[in-house]
């Protein structure tokens, strides 16, 4: 099992460019998430998908769009990148373990917008 | 709304010394609490979690945490630090059947030789 995989690992964009971050999981989880990590701020939820076909906004959704392509894949799109979107992006997936949703994280994508 | 506060953005300990990383939460309902570890240039890995039952929770790599409802705390401890424990540690909280996690701002642990 690869767990949660993310591509690319690193990316540099110019202001105004667009790109899509890809995420896939092989654990057959229903729920998937996108976070951004900034120094001193922990992880903040951008969007999540409770199940295939549904998506919901998190704490910081502005400037992003998501697509739950199928049960395995959940992509994050920046339509017009801004320097404020320079961050490390993490994808996660989770399943109900009868008590709580436990999240599993990918290795991250480090994005720089110049 | 729930929140998580981690006291101390940087903690340094000597190898072999006690590790204590502090986490406090605010909530009006019983929380589920997590500690994650992030090694350099890697994703987050679950160390341990508290859901219900025993308030002292043991995790991987010799870490444990105790849920203290009266103090709204879930501090992470390890009796003897190893060099390999150097990493960033995040406390997180969720509630009931909610999928979302709320993270603290993280504590960077440095282990000195």
């Amino acid at each position: 099992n690869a767990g949660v995989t993310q591509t690319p690992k690193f990316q540099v964009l110019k202001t105004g460019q667009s790109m899509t971050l890809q995420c896939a999981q092989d654990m057959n989880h229903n729920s998937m998430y996108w976070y951004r990590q900034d120094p001193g701020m922990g992880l903040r939820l951008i969007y999540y998908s409770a199940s295939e076909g549904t998506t919901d906004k998190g704490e910081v959704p502005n400037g992003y769009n998501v697509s739950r392509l199928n049960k395995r894949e959940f992509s994050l799109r920046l339509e017009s990148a801004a320097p404020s979107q320079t961050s490390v992006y993490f994808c996660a997936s989770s399943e109900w373990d009868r008590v709580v949703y436990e999240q599993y994280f990918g290795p991250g994508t480090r994005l720089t917008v110049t | 709304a729930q929140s998580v506060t981690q006291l101390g953005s940087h903690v340094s300990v000597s190898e072999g010394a006690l590790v204590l990383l502090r986490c406090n939460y605010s909530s009006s309902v019983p929380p589920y609490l997590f500690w994650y570890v992030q090694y350099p240039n890697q994703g987050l890995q679950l160390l341990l979690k508290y859901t219900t039952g025993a308030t002292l929770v043991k995790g991987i790599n010799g870490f444990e945490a105790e849920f203290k409802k009266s103090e709204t705390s879930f501090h992470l401890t390890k009796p003897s630090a190893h060099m390999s424990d150097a990493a960033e540690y995040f406390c997180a909280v969720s509630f009931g059947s909610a999928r979302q996690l709320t993270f603290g701002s993280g504590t960077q642990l440095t282990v000195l030789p």
Side-chain angles (χ1 to χ4, degrees):
Chain A
N1 278 357
V4 179
T5 57
Q6 293 182 236
T7 55
K9 286 186 170 32
F10 301 93
Q11 184 71 48
V12 179
L13 291 178
K14 293 189 187 325
T15 297
Q17 288 184 319
S18 62
M19 79 161 296
T20 300
L21 281 64
Q22 306 287 354
C23 173
Q25 53 92 9
D26 63 3
M27 295 175 282
N28 203 35
H29 288 170
N30 280 309
S31 302
M32 298 185 73
Y33 312 79
W34 276 105
Y35 292 89
R36 60 178 289 171
Q37 181 183 28
D38 302 293
M41 303 188 74
L43 277 74
R44 293 180 292 168
L45 184 65
I46 305 171
Y47 272 94
Y48 71 100
S49 171
S51 61
E52 187 178 352
T54 69
T55 60
D56 286 284
K57 294 178 180 179
E59 181 185 354
V60 289
N62 290 347
Y64 305 96
N65 286 301
V66 291
S67 296
R68 184 73 182 268
L69 305 169
N70 48 55
K71 190 171 185 178
R72 289 187 63 249
E73 299 172 289
F74 188 38
S75 62
L76 179 72
R77 183 160 178 84
L78 286 70
E79 290 290 352
S80 178
S84 60
Q85 294 178 305
T86 293
S87 188
V88 182
Y89 291 85
F90 288 99
C91 179
S93 68
S94 74
E95 195 57 69
W96 181 251
D97 72 353
R98 296 176 297 171
V99 178
V100 71
Y101 284 96
E102 182 175 321
Q103 294 190 19
Y104 296 82
F105 287 80
T109 294
R110 191 173 297 273
L111 176 67
T112 302
V113 183
T114 61
Chain B
Q2 63 270 22
S3 67
V4 178
T5 302
Q6 290 184 240
L7 294 176
S9 58
H10 290 85
V11 170
S12 293
V13 299
S14 298
E15 193 172 18
L18 172 71
V19 175
L20 171 61
L21 304 182
R22 299 177 187 275
C23 173
N24 289 87
Y25 67 92
S26 67
S27 166
S28 57
V29 298
Y32 296 143
L33 294 156
F34 304 79
W35 275 101
Y36 283 87
V37 60
Q38 184 182 29
Y39 298 104
N41 300 314
Q42 294 187 27
L44 277 71
Q45 179 183 1
L46 182 67
L47 269 179
L48 50 79
K49 65 183 179 188
Y50 168 79
T51 54
T52 58
T55 57
L56 181 63
V57 181
K58 294 187 186 301
I60 61 172
N61 301 338
F63 284 93
E64 62 183 37
E66 186 171 10
F67 171 59
K68 292 188 176 181
K69 184 178 178 182
S70 61
E71 298 177 8
T72 61
S73 70
F74 191 57
H75 301 332
L76 182 70
T77 60
K78 182 174 181 178
S80 176
H82 294 164
M83 298 297 289
S84 59
D85 294 327
E88 188 155 22
Y89 292 80
F90 292 94
C91 183
V93 63
S94 69
F95 301 90
S97 60
R99 290 174 174 82
Q100 298 93 314
L101 283 174
T102 298
F103 283 87
S105 55
T107 298
Q108 183 68 47
L109 175 66
T110 300
V111 182
L112 304 170

